[in-house]
Amino acid sequence: MNIGTWRKAETALLRIGFLFNHDQIHQIAHSLPVANALAARLPNALISLAVTNTRIEHEVKRLLGSNFPANLEVKRLGIHTAGSRLLTNALGKLVPAAKVLLYRDNLAYFRALDALVVTERTSLILKQHFGLTRLKMILIDHGAGDRAIGFGASTAKFDHILASGAKIRDRLIADAGVTPNKIKIVGYPKFDAAKADREKLPFQCNGNPTIIYNPHLSPHLSSWFKHGREILDWFITNPQYNLIFAPHVMLFQRRVVFTVDKFRVAFPGKLDKKYLEAPNIHIDLGSVASTDMTYTNAADIYLGDVSSQIYEFLRCPRPAIFIDSQGTDFKDDPNYAHWRAGEVIRTVDQLGLALDRADALHRAMYIAAQKTLFDYTFELTSEPSSHRAARAIAEIIGHG
């Protein structure tokens, strides 16, 4: 922080932090547009963007560009104690140790804030274990999917939640026990920052239909660990289709995948050279294009399991296919509501026929369901979602 920013901090009436504490960049676009809008709305407040690694810092600065409000700062947080550094070096390749230790090592920063806006739940440690009960904590979740983990009881511990639409509000009340007055519907700020046009990728110039395969990382829900490589093999032998393989950006981040909602351990493995060299397969394990809707816009058909990216894909209704690798009893289960958007298959042997009839089934059965799902998930208005969210935050802190 430079001297000018320190002076702004000293005279600011309010200090509002936006935390970007993750290994990957996929959560940034869910709240950064809100921070920018809030800085413009509250010129006498200091809006502090707390970043925790170089990759996150670069992406935040790239998205901000050179022209952003003078009362908005980018603040780098780090691991400061010898014990934390030791644990991070020892465990960092297996578990996100730095993500948790960072809270303890930066308590002075968090204590100085009036409000903190976050996109995930580990930050609740500040209230539950470090006693920062005065700090108003506001959740803007990263995604608007149906998985049960998004509606767990811990969510009720936030002071306020900014929801994308009625679906999120209703399930937070019913499943997480959140009191209705804690929830404000603001739309989906990521749509303000993400690409809107359906730009084609160079390898799509052959005119063939393009499928995006977007498996999640959770071993008890994902199709990758049982069917992933079989799906890639299918596309190698069926070059009449293009494939964008853009899994959850954390799937290949570490050698081992741990999940906490249901404890599981799995090994994603490495990708064989044949997949990387296939001319009809485009692979992206975590670039900016994996997070800015480049691929969900470009694809003609969605193939996936439980990723919330299906709802971003449905911004422009198109055929969808879901592969159930777990033998799930999904009918009437709200955690699989998105599977109403397309055909569900259980083996890769069924994939060819599902693709053959995808367009016809979409028109006959699924397009109306997709529109219903999208409208229930996202309440969008003529006012940009980031502006609605900024207005909601200003009201929460008494400056509406």
Side-chain angles (χ1 to χ4, degrees):
M1 186 187 293
N2 60 36
I3 294 174
T5 305
W6 271 112
R7 287 174 179 163
K8 282 186 289 184
E10 289 297 317
T11 59
L13 297 175
L14 292 166
R15 296 176 178 83
I16 304 168
F18 283 72
L19 179 62
F20 303 97
N21 180 19
H22 206 285
D23 295 334
Q24 269 282 6
I25 62 175
H26 60 297
Q27 297 182 5
I28 296 173
H30 291 281
S31 63
L32 183 62
V34 182
N36 212 4
L38 187 63
R41 187 179 188 90
L42 299 177
N44 292 324
L46 175 65
I47 310 302
S48 180
L49 310 180
V51 299
T52 58
N53 62 53
T54 299
R55 184 172 192 183
I56 295 292
E57 183 175 0
H58 286 171
E59 179 62 5
V60 165
K61 289 180 176 178
R62 185 189 73 82
L63 288 172
L64 283 175
S66 58
N67 184 25
F68 56 87
N71 61 326
L72 190 151
E73 68 165 9
V74 178
K75 170 70 174 175
R76 179 70 177 264
L77 304 183
I79 298 297
H80 303 303
T81 66
S84 294
R85 285 194 293 269
L86 182 63
L87 285 171
T88 299
N89 291 335
L91 302 175
K93 291 183 178 180
L94 297 176
V95 296
K99 186 176 179 180
V100 176
L101 293 168
L102 182 133
Y103 296 109
R104 182 187 67 184
D105 283 12
N106 294 276
L107 281 176
Y109 170 81
F110 294 114
R111 195 175 284 117
L113 298 173
D114 296 288
L116 178 65
V117 181
V118 300
T119 54
E120 45 70 53
R121 291 156 178 77
T122 60
S123 54
L124 285 170
I125 196 173
L126 292 168
K127 280 186 178 288
Q128 295 174 289
H129 296 285
F130 294 118
L132 301 191
T133 55
R134 184 192 66 83
L135 178 63
K136 281 188 173 66
M137 293 192 63
I138 302 167
L139 175 68
I140 305 177
D141 227 337
H142 61 285
D146 300 316
R147 291 197 307 137
I149 193 172
F151 308 99
S154 66
T155 313
K157 294 179 172 62
F158 284 99
D159 296 292
H160 295 277
I161 301 164
L162 305 185
S164 65
K167 178 188 78 177
I168 306 299
R169 178 200 61 203
D170 293 349
R171 288 200 63 185
L172 286 174
I173 294 169
D175 298 353
V178 178
T179 56
N181 63 356
K182 283 187 173 184
I183 305 170
K184 291 181 181 290
I185 294 179
V186 300
Y188 201 57
K190 181 177 177 179
F191 285 155
D192 297 349
K195 294 181 178 180
D197 297 331
R198 293 194 60 201
E199 298 177 5
K200 295 297 183 181
L201 306 179
F203 89 130
Q204 293 179 274
C205 66
N206 58 21
N208 292 335
T210 299
I211 291 84
I212 177 172
Y213 175 41
N214 174 227
H216 202 263
L217 80 161
S218 298
H220 64 289
L221 299 169
S222 175
S223 59
W224 171 252
F225 301 97
K226 183 176 181 179
H227 289 126
R229 288 175 176 80
E230 192 179 352
I231 288 172
L232 297 185
D233 286 334
W234 190 93
F235 280 97
I236 285 180
T237 58
N238 287 273
Q240 71 273 26
Y241 291 103
N242 299 321
L243 177 70
I244 299 170
F245 178 50
H248 190 289
V249 294
M250 293 302 295
L251 180 57
F252 292 93
Q253 183 76 16
R254 297 186 178 88
R255 288 182 293 125
V256 184
V257 172
F258 292 89
T259 52
V260 294
D261 49 339
K262 286 188 179 180
F263 183 74
R264 296 287 190 279
V265 179
F267 300 87
K270 295 182 179 180
L271 292 178
D272 193 282
K273 187 178 180 181
K274 64 181 178 180
Y275 305 132
L276 302 173
E277 294 178 345
N280 67 319
I281 298 179
H282 176 85
I283 295 176
D284 191 332
L285 304 184
S287 78
V288 169
S290 290
T291 68
D292 68 1
M293 294 180 57
T294 291
Y295 299 140
T296 51
N297 286 343
D300 301 301
I301 300 174
Y302 182 94
L303 174 64
D305 36 59
V306 300
S307 172
S308 64
Q309 283 196 43
I310 178 58
Y311 283 102
E312 296 175 5
F313 178 84
L314 294 185
R315 190 182 191 185
C316 175
R318 286 155 286 166
I321 299 168
F322 304 96
I323 183 160
D324 175 14
S325 298
Q326 321 299 330
T328 310
D329 183 12
F330 63 88
K331 291 184 178 179
D332 300 320
D333 186 339
N335 301 312
Y336 293 89
H338 54 288
W339 284 10
R340 300 173 199 155
E343 183 177 4
V344 179
I345 62 175
R346 289 193 166 175
T347 68
V348 179
D349 290 342
Q350 299 172 314
L351 180 56
L353 287 175
L355 287 170
D356 289 344
R357 59 182 173 242
D359 283 324
L361 286 180
H362 176 68
R363 291 192 298 271
M365 296 176 58
Y366 295 117
I367 188 168
Q370 289 185 359
K371 290 178 178 177
T372 298
L373 287 166
F374 185 88
D375 290 342
Y376 188 38
T377 300
F378 304 111
E379 182 189 283
L380 304 177
T381 70
S382 58
E383 182 183 10
S385 297
S386 55
H387 293 196
R388 293 168 66 192
R391 176 161 49 83
I393 294 170
E395 292 170 356
I396 288 167
I397 62 177
H399 286 257

